[in-house]
Amino acid sequence: MYCVQNRPDFELEAQLTDKLLSYLEKFNIEQDRNIEIYFDGLKRYLYRPDNVQIFFSKRKKADDLIVNSVNEHIDNYNDEVLLITQDKDLINKCRNYGAEVQYTYSFLKSATALFA
């Protein structure tokens, strides 16, 4: 949640979410990737690009959903998984299952350079 002076800034969060979805749409244009995005909180309407699934964790953190998904994709489908996050605990758990990790800032920096 993005806050300004300790108050949730829903407008800023919506803008950043839209920008992220736009980057992911462009990132996925020439590839056949399945992308999953997890948000903490309640379900809300978001534009959903092709091959992008959006999940909401409701009243708990999305971490458990993410770890379970990574485990399922690697163990059951032998998929390669790229996790994009800054959360160190989540990084450690998902790397233990064999996921590749890219930090959010690095991903957005490279996406910005590619699609500017």
Side-chain angles (χ1 to χ4, degrees), residues 60-95:
K60 53 188 171 181
K61 288 190 68 165
D63 292 18
D64 291 338
L65 296 174
I66 295 167
V67 170
N68 289 340
S69 179
V70 166
N71 182 33
E72 179 180 346
H73 283 283
I74 291 173
D75 281 356
N76 296 338
Y77 305 110
N78 205 24
D79 288 340
E80 292 180 19
V81 173
L82 171 62
L83 175 70
I84 300 170
T85 187
Q86 293 291 121
D87 185 306
K88 290 181 182 178
D89 186 47
L90 192 55
I91 288 168
N92 291 333
K93 288 177 182 177
C94 292
R95 276 189 176 151

Side-chain angles (χ1 to χ4, degrees), residues 1 3-4 7 13 35 64 72 78 99:
M1 175 67 59
C3 298
V4 174
R7 292 195 176 115
E13 184 169 310
I35 296 174
D64 291 338
E72 179 180 346
N78 205 24

